[in-house]
Amino acid sequence: ATRRNERGLRTDRGLMVKNRDHWDVLAVHPDGSLSVAGRTGEVRLSSEYAKHHVELAYAQTSHATQGRTVDRSFLLLDGPTDTRGVYVPMTRGRLSNEAFVVLDGEQSATDVVSEALSRDWIDQPALSRRAELQRSASQPDGAGSMQRPLDAATLRLLMERDHELAHGHSRARAQVDMLRHQLERNQDRRRQLSRSLEADRARLEQARRTVEKLDRPMRRRRHRVELDAAQRQLRHLPASIDRDRRELADLENSAVADRQRLHVAEKAVA
């Protein structure tokens, strides 16, 4: 980020280098000058200008970030600030906005943030603040209350409730995902069991026909292998079919219960 207006430095589009412009560094030259590219074009910044008036732009004051939109925004709250100093950086991120709070003494992070959000005066001139207080005193009770920040205790309570709600929503969301995954596995297993039952019943019926056809005095000796195989299936398949049928019934019952639980969980998330 360039930090000083410099009319003598012009991009290839003829535009001057300005304070708070953001650039991508294309090259660092041996003499310390920088070739950079930004929304106004490309320019080479002299080593003297780069040394005194260029800084990394990954972190800036909250006022400098107004109007910017980024993927993720991080606020380092390491000193007194007001509601603007918190609101601006905590609304820049498309995907996430996080605050990292430096603690001093016994205060918690919630204490620090709620106190900051309750302030509307950190850099306000004394005369302006006095005029604002006089206007508030002259208004009827409740008038202008929508313009004044909430007190720190109320904000703390609201933030704690918000945290509880967010935590509960996260648990409900995790339960919804778990139940959906469980129902999908249940359905896959039921399809597998249905196919297995159908195949076992077909093999059982074929074994019965084989025995009925070949288990006769004149044919037993010639078809002993086929008969033995068919009789083994007649002994073992009924138990396998019964076991799969019971598991399928249990899965169908659990699917009904899981759908009811999923309905409740989805209502909690909505």
Side-chain angles (χ1 to χ4, degrees):
T2 48
R3 296 308 312 272
R4 192 179 78 169
N5 293 335
E6 187 60 64
R7 297 186 180 277
L9 288 174
R10 299 274 174 170
T11 69
D12 55 359
R13 300 179 192 172
L15 300 173
M16 65 175 283
V17 171
K18 293 186 295 183
N19 181 33
R20 300 197 189 283
D21 276 348
H22 286 189
W23 311 85
D24 291 328
V25 178
L26 303 178
V28 179
H29 301 287
D31 63 353
S33 61
L34 303 174
S35 291
V36 298
R39 59 183 181 83
T40 58
E42 296 184 12
V43 66
R44 181 163 174 167
L45 304 175
S46 68
S47 59
E48 188 68 17
Y49 183 90
K51 180 179 179 181
H52 297 289
H53 307 299
V54 173
E55 63 182 25
L56 293 174
Y58 64 87
Q60 294 183 297
T61 64
S62 59
H63 299 292
T65 61
Q66 292 189 66
R68 291 192 65 193
T69 301
V70 296
D71 288 338
R72 292 176 173 83
S73 176
F74 303 95
L75 166 63
L76 175 63
L77 193 55
D78 59 351
T81 188
D82 58 15
T83 184
R84 298 174 186 83
V86 176
Y87 173 79
V88 172
M90 290 296 285
T91 55
R92 302 301 94 196
R94 299 184 191 90
L95 303 178
S96 65
N97 296 275
E98 299 179 55
F100 295 84
V101 183
V102 177
L103 300 180
D104 183 17
E106 299 299 320
Q107 282 187 312
S108 68
T110 305
D111 292 330
V112 174
V113 174
S114 59
E115 286 181 9
L117 289 173
S118 68
R119 295 193 193 105
D120 192 33
W121 51 264
I122 194 70
D123 56 359
Q124 192 175 31
L127 292 176
S128 299
R129 179 60 179 162
R130 182 185 299 174
E132 180 183 309
L133 291 172
Q134 289 172 347
R135 285 196 302 272
S136 299
S138 65
Q139 290 176 338
D141 290 345
S145 60
M146 293 301 292
Q147 285 73 41
R148 294 197 300 272
L150 296 172
D151 62 90
T154 303
L155 279 167
R156 177 191 173 92
L157 179 62
L158 290 173
M159 290 170 67
E160 288 174 346
R161 287 180 179 174
D162 179 71
H163 175 73
E164 291 173 4
L165 288 171
H167 189 57
H169 185 274
S170 178
R171 288 200 307 270
R173 181 77 263 172
Q175 187 178 25
V176 166
D177 293 341
M178 181 271 292
L179 287 170
R180 286 177 176 169
H181 182 61
Q182 192 166 300
L183 280 168
E184 288 175 2
R185 287 187 303 168
N186 183 308
Q187 188 174 13
D188 289 343
R189 179 58 179 160
R190 285 157 62 198
R191 281 196 292 262
Q192 180 184 355
L193 283 171
S194 295
R195 290 193 296 267
S196 177
L197 278 169
E198 185 177 352
D200 283 350
R201 286 172 180 145
R203 285 195 294 270
L204 183 61
E205 182 59 30
Q206 180 61 41
R208 285 171 178 160
R209 287 198 296 267
T210 298
V211 170
E212 182 180 346
K213 179 181 178 182
L214 300 179
D215 194 14
R216 297 177 182 178
M218 300 297 294
R219 309 190 69 177
R220 286 175 190 155
R221 181 178 296 178
R222 293 173 54 192
H223 298 281
R224 175 51 56 193
V225 174
E226 295 172 72
L227 274 171
D228 288 346
Q231 287 167 347
R232 280 196 301 272
Q233 288 186 322
L234 287 174
R235 287 194 301 271
H236 298 299
L237 282 174
S240 176
I241 290 172
D242 187 55
R243 184 171 56 252
D244 287 351
R245 189 188 297 118
R246 287 198 305 271
E247 184 181 352
L248 185 58
D250 290 341
L251 286 171
E252 289 172 348
N253 290 334
S254 69
V256 171
D258 285 344
R259 287 192 194 97
Q260 292 173 343
R261 292 169 60 200
L262 178 60
H263 179 67
V264 173
E266 286 175 335
K267 286 179 66 177
V269 170

